[in-house]
C-alpha cells in the first residue's frame, strides 16, 4: 500500500484542487498520511500569487525534499506560472505538473509510482478537508479582468462558469454528506453565467443552493449572508494600471444607494 501526503498552500481554490487530487487515490491501494516521514509520495499544491507565497512554496518544497524515502510532486499556481524556472532551480522535485495538465495527472503519477489504479481528477469527487458541516463549492474558474496586480487570469485562464447542472449535482452530494454551510468560490462569483449561454445567473445559483440547504434542515430558517454585491465596484478601482485611491473607491461604493442593494438582496434571498 502506497502512502500519500499532501500539503495545500494558498487560497481556497487551491484547497478544492487538493481535495480533488486526494480523491484520485481513495478507491485504490493507497493510504493518506499526515507524517511526511511515512509517505511514499508527497504532493505540494503551490501558490504563486504574491512574493511571500512563492517563498513559502519554495521553502515547503525544500523542507519536504529532506524526506528521501518519498517521491516529491509539485502542482498548483506557482508551477503553472513559473514551470521552467522552477525545474531548473529545484531539481529535488521528482515531478512537476501545471494546472493545465491536471487532466492527465493520474497517469503521470502512476508512471512515477509504478501503479495503475489512480482515478482521473473529477470536480464532483473530492475528499472534503473542511469541518463536516461546511464545504467550499466552486461555481466558476478564471477571470477576465486582468488587473495589474493579479496573476489569476494568467494562471487560471479566462473566466469560465461551471455548468449549473454540475453545480446542482455537487450541492446535492454535499447535502447528502451532511453539509449545511456552503461557501461559493470564484474570482468574481457575481458575474457567474455572463460568459456562457445556458441562461442561468448568479441569483439562480443562490436560489438553488438555498432550496437544497433548506430541504436538508427541515423547520429551520436559512440565512444567505455576505453576498458580494460590491465586488465589481471595488474591481473598477484597480483595473490595469489606472488605480484609484482608497478614498475614490469608497466614494464609488457610496454612490450605490442602500435601497438598490436591498432590492438586489431580495431577488436572491429565500422567502417564507
Amino acid at each position: 500500500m502506497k502512502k500519500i501526503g499532501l500539503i495545500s498552500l494558498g487560497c481556497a481554490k487551491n484547497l478544492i484542487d487538493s481535495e480533488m487530487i486526494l480523491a484520485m487515490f481513495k478507491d485504490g491501494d493507497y493510504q493518506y498520511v499526515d507524517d511526511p516521514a511515512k509517505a511514499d509520495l508527497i504532493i505540494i499544491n503551490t501558490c504563486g500569487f504574491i512574493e511571500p507565497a512563492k517563498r513559502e512554496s519554495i521553502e515547503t518544497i525544500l523542507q519536504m525534499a529532506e524526506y528521501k524515502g518519498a517521491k516529491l510532486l509539485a502542482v498548483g499556481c506557482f508551477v503553472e506560472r513559473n514551470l521552467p524556472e522552477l525545474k531548473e532551480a529545484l531539481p529535488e522535485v521528482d515531478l512537476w505538473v501545471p494546472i493545465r495538465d491536471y487532466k492527465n495527472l493520474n497517469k503521470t503519477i502512476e508512471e512515477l509510482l509504478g501503479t495503475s489504479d489512480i482515478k482521473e481528477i473529477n470536480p464532483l469527487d473530492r475528499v472534503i478537508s473542511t469541518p463536516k458541516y461546511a464545504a467550499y463549492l466552486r461555481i466558476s474558474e478564471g477571470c477576465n479582468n486582468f488587473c495589474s496586480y493579479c496573476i489569476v487570469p494568467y494562471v487560471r485562464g479566462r473566466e469560465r462558469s461551471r455548468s449549473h447542472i454540475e453545480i446542482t449535482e455537487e450541492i446535492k452530494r454535499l447535502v447528502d454528506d451532511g453539509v449545511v454551510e456552503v461557501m461559493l468560490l470564484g474570482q468574481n462569483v457575481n458575474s457567474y453565467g455572463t460568459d456562457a449561454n445556458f441562461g442561468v445567473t448568479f441569483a439562480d445559483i443562490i436560489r438553488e443552493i438555498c432550496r437544497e440547504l433548506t430541504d436538508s434542515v427541515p423547520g429551520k430558517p436559512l440565512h444567505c449572508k455576505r453576498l458580494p454585491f460590491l465586488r465589481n465596484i471595488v474591481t473598477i478601482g484597480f483595473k490595469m494600471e489606472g488605480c484609484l485611491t482608497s478614498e475614490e473607491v469608497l466614494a464609488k461604493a457610496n454612490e450605490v444607494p442602500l435601497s438598490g442593494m436591498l432590492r438586489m438582496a431580495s431577488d436572491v434571498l429565500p422567502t417564507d
Side-chain angles (χ1 to χ4, degrees), residues 82 103 123 171 179 241 244-245 254:
N82 298 95
K103 60 184 178 297
I171 187 64
V179 169
E241 300 299 331
L244 301 181
T245 66
N254 289 331

Side-chain angles (χ1 to χ4, degrees), residues 14 17 21 24-25 41-46 61 72-84 86-87 93-112 121 155-156:
N14 245 21
D17 289 345
I21 290 171
M24 294 165 53
F25 301 94
L41 173 66
I42 299 173
I43 305 169
I44 302 171
N45 195 354
T46 64
I61 288 171
L72 193 55
L73 164 63
V75 299
C77 295
F78 195 18
V79 178
E80 177 71 25
R81 182 69 166 156
N82 298 95
L83 180 59
L86 288 171
K87 274 187 171 181
V93 175
D94 296 289
L95 181 63
W96 302 90
V97 180
I99 295 170
R100 60 182 176 271
D101 291 337
Y102 280 4
K103 60 184 178 297
N104 299 317
L105 183 58
N106 62 321
K107 296 299 181 184
T108 308
I109 298 177
E110 284 177 347
E111 292 177 5
L112 180 66
I121 197 165
V155 172
R156 296 279 177 172

Side-chain angles (χ1 to χ4, degrees), residues 138-170:
R138 176 181 282 147
I139 67 170
S140 64
E141 182 69 285
C143 183
N144 291 339
N145 285 332
F146 291 91
C147 301
S148 60
Y149 62 89
C150 182
I151 68 167
V152 168
Y154 304 100
V155 172
R156 296 279 177 172
R158 303 284 292 191
E159 186 170 62
R160 304 176 304 285
S161 295
R162 190 178 176 193
S163 160
H164 64 286
I165 297 173
E166 190 173 275
I167 293 173
T168 301
E169 183 177 349
E170 182 166 13

Side-chain angles (χ1 to χ4, degrees), residues 6-9 13-23 45 75 127:
L6 186 146
I7 299 172
S8 190
L9 304 174
K13 293 191 286 291
N14 245 21
L15 183 62
I16 285 184
D17 289 345
S18 295
E19 292 175 343
M20 292 192 298
I21 290 171
L22 285 176
N45 195 354
V75 299
V127 174

Side-chain angles (χ1 to χ4, degrees), residues 10 20 39 57 59 66 71 80 103 112 120 122 126-127 149 157 163 170 181 190 192 196 201 213 238 243 249:
M20 292 192 298
S57 294
E59 289 168 2
E66 295 296 318
K71 298 289 186 181
E80 177 71 25
K103 60 184 178 297
L112 180 66
E120 292 183 2
N122 180 354
R126 294 157 52 194
V127 174
Y149 62 89
S163 160
E170 182 166 13
E181 179 181 328
N190 51 338
Y192 174 85
T201 67
L213 291 179
F238 299 97
C243 295
V249 172

